[in-house]
Amino acid sequence: MIVGIPKEIMSGEARVAATPETVKKFIQDGMTVLVEAGAGVKSLYYDEQYREAGAEMVGDAEHLFERADLILKVKEPLFNENVGKHEVEMMHPGQFLITFIHPASPVNHNMVKQLAARGVTGLTLDSIPRISRAQNMDALTSMSTCAGYKGIIMAADDLSVFMPQMFTAVGMLKPANVLVIGAGVAGLQALATAKRLGAVTYAMDIRPAASEQAKSVGARIIETGIPEELAVGKGGYAQKLPEEWLAKEREVLASVLKDMDIVFCSALIPGKVAPVLITGEMVESMKNGAVIVDISIDQGGNCEVTPAGRKEVIHNVMVQGIKNIPGLIPTSSTWMFSQNVYNLVKYLSKDGEVALDLNDEIVRSILVTHKGKIVHEGTREAMGL
């Protein structure tokens, strides 16, 4: 089997789907690996390293897509301006694609239909099930870890005060107060990072189990008073609250926001728009110089005034809506992502070829297009099929 690693073409994307380390593993497993020249440069993995690992370097993206049986990418297929073609147009029947397709997102519906029409078998990394045997394939969790860490570093960089308590010759300065809303993977990493930097950490999550995990990393819990049966949905994920309970959650938040120096927003509901928990009026009540990092911005954001894709001072508060935070630490995030992808390919392969077991829970969860059809349940629902 020939594995193709193209250069990512999304603006600002610095990651790549394979490292020289995982290339070497693929080759040891009997596969041939093609890497587009310069694919790893932005994440500090260089052509010579890939070559030494046994990869064949390819100068032309179209040639790579043409030859590969399996394409590994970080981001969904896009229009390649250098070639003058959409990446899907360069793909062929029977080819496999593994990447973050985000197939349920309306902006990707046309691209998903094109994948099906081309006869490409698309497998999406954002649907890996949260089960024990899939943990080492779960790229979404890996990228959430990166976002939690880097998001707090970004907040600390914009903060006008120290994070830790400081004892000086002229007096004592209090530590920063950091509130994390949504104690999932990213939220827990944000809490741990803020704690390491010396901040006093607080966590708020409508799910009791998530609150317990936040407590285990040293956070003080802000109770919402929301009944568990309303808060927790399938698989332990948060579910959409009725409007009256959402209003109560905002009331609780409003009472504590004025004391916070950093607010890290990562509250998400699977397959739905992120709940708006912080209004513009609540931002106005915050300390001058406070920082909000809203990593849920791809799903609309938890803060009503978060600027998508950038940061802006609003009511004397720095509000960050930076997207693709994992891409801001590209060497580490690429290393984690590439390990996840290698583990998934190894799981799906038999005798050096991809062999899909359509009865397998992992395969069923991630399969988007197959034999000319769109088969992903969430995508079909979002498309009204």
Side-chain angles (χ1 to χ4, degrees), residues 70-232:
L70 166 64
I71 295 288
L72 302 179
K73 280 176 53 61
V74 178
K75 303 301 285 186
E76 69 271 19
L78 299 165
F79 186 82
N80 188 321
E81 292 182 3
N82 293 330
V83 179
K85 286 183 179 179
H86 197 286
E87 287 178 313
V88 175
E89 291 180 71
M90 295 188 269
M91 302 187 78
H92 53 80
Q95 196 168 41
F96 292 90
L97 168 70
I98 295 176
T99 187
F100 281 119
I101 298 175
H102 302 296
S105 176
V107 296
N108 291 329
H109 286 179
N110 190 48
M111 175 268 292
V112 170
K113 289 174 183 175
Q114 289 174 359
L115 280 175
R118 281 254 164 195
V120 175
T121 296
L123 301 128
T124 189
L125 294 168
D126 48 292
S127 293
I128 297 277
R130 293 276 171 88
I131 56 176
S132 56
R133 64 193 173 92
Q135 281 182 337
N136 70 353
M137 313 168 201
D138 190 354
L140 197 59
T141 290
S142 293
M143 296 306 99
S144 295
T145 298
C146 296
Y149 164 80
K150 185 64 174 179
I152 289 295
I153 300 298
M154 289 159 50
D157 194 41
D158 275 337
L159 200 62
S160 62
V161 298
F162 289 115
M163 287 282 275
Q165 188 171 31
M166 301 290 284
F167 296 95
T168 76
V170 291
M172 184 268 287
L173 291 95
K174 291 182 179 179
N177 290 326
V178 175
L179 169 63
V180 170
I181 305 170
V185 175
L188 290 171
Q189 187 56 235
L191 287 167
T193 303
K195 192 79 175 172
R196 291 185 203 112
L197 291 173
V200 177
T201 55
Y202 299 81
M204 181 172 166
D205 197 300
I206 60 176
R207 301 164 298 166
S211 293
E212 280 302 311
Q213 289 179 313
K215 196 185 291 184
S216 74
V217 293
R220 301 176 187 183
I221 305 303
I222 294 168
E223 300 290 349
T224 62
I226 293 166
E228 186 173 355
E229 61 270 19
L230 286 177
V232 184

Side-chain angles (χ1 to χ4, degrees), residues 10-76:
M10 179 176 276
S11 178
E13 181 55 74
R15 292 170 292 175
V16 63
T19 62
E21 180 184 343
T22 56
V23 164
K24 196 171 185 178
K25 289 182 180 180
F26 282 127
I27 290 168
Q28 286 170 346
D29 292 342
M31 300 175 196
T32 298
V33 182
L34 311 179
V35 178
E36 186 177 353
V41 169
K42 290 180 182 176
S43 51
L44 305 183
Y45 297 105
Y46 298 102
D47 290 359
E48 191 53 43
Q49 293 173 285
Y50 286 108
R51 205 173 280 114
E52 286 173 4
E56 180 185 335
M57 305 308 295
V58 178
D60 175 56
E62 199 165 5
H63 183 55
L64 182 144
F65 275 89
E66 183 185 321
R67 288 180 58 194
D69 302 303
L70 166 64
I71 295 288
L72 302 179
K73 280 176 53 61
V74 178
K75 303 301 285 186
E76 69 271 19

